[in-house]
Amino acid sequence: MEYKSKIRSKAVDELFEAILTLENLEECYRFFEDICTVKEIQAIAQRWEVARLLKANKTYSEIEEATGASTATISRINRALNYGADGYNLVLRKLGLID
């Protein structure tokens, strides 16, 4: 059964298909530096770091100090980890960072 995403569209499908063609870190850097602003990439990277730290059972204050993320951002990511589309957990499992 196909996942029913709230963001699904032809344009998003095509973007994700383009991302799936990237083969290494250098290609990712080159593509994302062209398609995103530096701030957008940094915000996404910060969210990813927060998710990893939450799964490592770090406290909000530890995460805030380590990443500079606001407690509102940390809370939003925690909610996504527990009640979202399972995307963070999917990738964390694939990377062997959680069971």
Side-chain angles (χ1 to χ4, degrees), residues 3 6 79-81 83-88 90:
Y3 173 70
K6 298 175 208 157
R79 200 166 37 256
L81 282 166
Y83 307 108
D86 206 39
Y88 283 119
L90 173 75

Side-chain angles (χ1 to χ4, degrees), residues 48-99:
W48 177 243
E49 178 82 8
V50 168
R52 289 182 20 241
L53 292 171
L54 283 166
K55 283 305 208 179
N57 296 314
K58 300 295 182 187
T59 66
Y60 276 34
S61 58
E62 289 172 319
I63 295 168
E64 188 176 20
E65 185 177 322
T67 67
S70 69
T71 55
T73 296
I74 298 167
S75 178
R76 185 172 57 249
I77 293 163
N78 192 45
R79 200 166 37 256
L81 282 166
N82 292 304
Y83 307 108
D86 206 39
Y88 283 119
N89 291 311
L90 173 75
V91 176
L92 288 164
R93 276 191 297 277
K94 285 183 174 237
L95 292 172
L97 299 174
I98 63 172
D99 295 328

